[in-house]
Amino acid sequence: MTTAHSTRPPAPGRALTRWSAWGLALLIPSVLLAAIAALSTERGSRCVAYDECPQVPGALVYGSLAAAVVAGLAALLWPRRGWTDGRTWAVALQWAAQVLVVLLILSYGG
């Protein structure tokens, strides 16, 4: 019997959907803020002005960015009731790739 004040437990995977959506929503702002922070340093401005950038492979940055987007979309679009362990790993991979992208961008100014 349910009453007006009883609450249902959340649907399985709702938290994963929320984490994935937040990650995708914060991806572009975090990349832009990291780029601004990296370019505001002396080393970052020398990178732009004199092309004296650290040797961070561009493929690593773009690959991590692509992995974050693909894993985030996979976790977001995967049915909530299906294979929750896979969605959990996808969200963990998404956030790990996002953190790696931001750290790689910050390394240009560090």
Side-chain angles (χ1 to χ4, degrees):
M1 178 171 162
T2 60
T3 63
H5 298 292
S6 67
T7 59
R8 288 190 322 215
R14 187 175 297 250
L16 292 174
T17 302
R18 200 172 299 132
W19 274 100
S20 176
W22 272 107
L24 287 172
L26 293 174
L27 181 61
I28 299 300
S30 63
V31 166
L32 290 176
L33 287 175
I36 290 169
L39 293 176
S40 67
T41 64
E42 181 181 348
R43 188 173 171 192
S45 60
R46 290 186 66 82
C47 176
V48 172
Y50 303 112
D51 198 28
E52 296 176 1
C53 301
Q55 298 300 320
V56 177
L60 183 60
V61 176
Y62 295 127
S64 298
L65 184 64
V69 170
V70 169
L73 288 175
L76 189 65
L77 299 176
W78 204 310
R80 283 186 190 163
R81 299 204 183 273
W83 203 36
T84 307
D85 291 340
R87 290 186 71 218
T88 303
W89 279 104
V91 171
L93 175 66
Q94 172 194 5
W95 280 92
Q98 281 185 233
V99 168
L100 180 61
V101 166
V102 168
L103 291 176
L104 287 171
I105 292 170
L106 288 174
S107 72
Y108 282 102

